[in-house]
Amino acid sequence: MASIWRYSLAGLGLAALLVGIVAAVYLTLPQSASGPDTSRSKKTANGLFVASFEPERGVIRQGELQSWLLTLKTAAGVPVEGAAITVSGGMPQHDHGLPTSPQATDYLGEGRYRIDGVKFTMSGWWQLRFAISAAAGSDSVVFNVVL
């Protein structure tokens, strides 16, 4: 009878040790973000530019055509003028593209470009990809928008 208690106590001790090890490993793992990066300003893929992206009217609207502003600066902070910009994107989780064909339509000065024709037809995770070609070179950036 005493040996059963010893084995039970040893088993409980081993289980507690294993739970402690698993908890320590879990707590030391880096914590992942709870979704896509939705920052509105970031470096481009190759680091040539810093890009910022925001709705022109300050509010993201679902189901409406809207204009957004893309601001481009060099890594040194100088506004990028005369850039050629192409826009693509879609919903990665739904595996479809954008419902419209957004385009850079106006250069507003100080590195700011108006992107017309942006439309988000449903809630969810959208991506807008910008291919940028300027005097400093060619680069790209992806912005995530979650509605």
Side-chain angles (χ1 to χ4, degrees):
M1 181 82 158
S3 64
I4 292 176
W5 283 108
R6 268 190 240 155
Y7 285 121
S8 297
L9 192 56
L12 285 174
L14 183 59
L17 179 64
L18 289 173
V19 167
I21 291 170
V22 169
V25 168
Y26 175 77
L27 292 174
T28 58
L29 288 175
Q31 299 299 312
S32 63
S34 61
D37 171 18
T38 57
S39 61
R40 293 282 171 253
S41 185
K42 59 177 73 174
K43 287 185 180 179
T44 53
N46 297 321
L48 291 178
F49 310 109
V50 175
S52 300
F53 189 57
E54 62 185 352
E56 189 169 32
R57 293 189 183 171
V59 178
I60 302 172
R61 298 180 318 272
Q62 183 178 327
E64 296 178 32
L65 279 175
Q66 52 195 301
S67 297
W68 284 58
L69 299 176
L70 177 68
T71 302
L72 298 173
K73 295 187 177 186
T74 65
V78 177
V80 175
E81 296 185 8
I85 301 166
T86 58
V87 186
S88 63
M91 292 189 85
Q93 293 177 318
H94 291 233
D95 198 28
H96 66 74
L98 295 168
T100 58
S101 298
Q103 295 183 12
T105 57
D106 296 312
Y107 177 64
L108 305 173
E110 299 178 10
R112 294 177 308 132
Y113 297 82
R114 179 177 289 121
I115 309 298
D116 281 328
V118 177
K119 184 175 184 180
F120 304 111
T121 54
M122 62 173 52
S123 60
W125 170 25
W126 292 86
Q127 285 186 329
L128 286 145
R129 292 184 282 286
F130 297 91
I132 304 156
S133 181
S138 295
D139 211 339
S140 63
V141 66
V142 177
F143 287 98
N144 295 297
V145 177
V146 178
L147 301 178

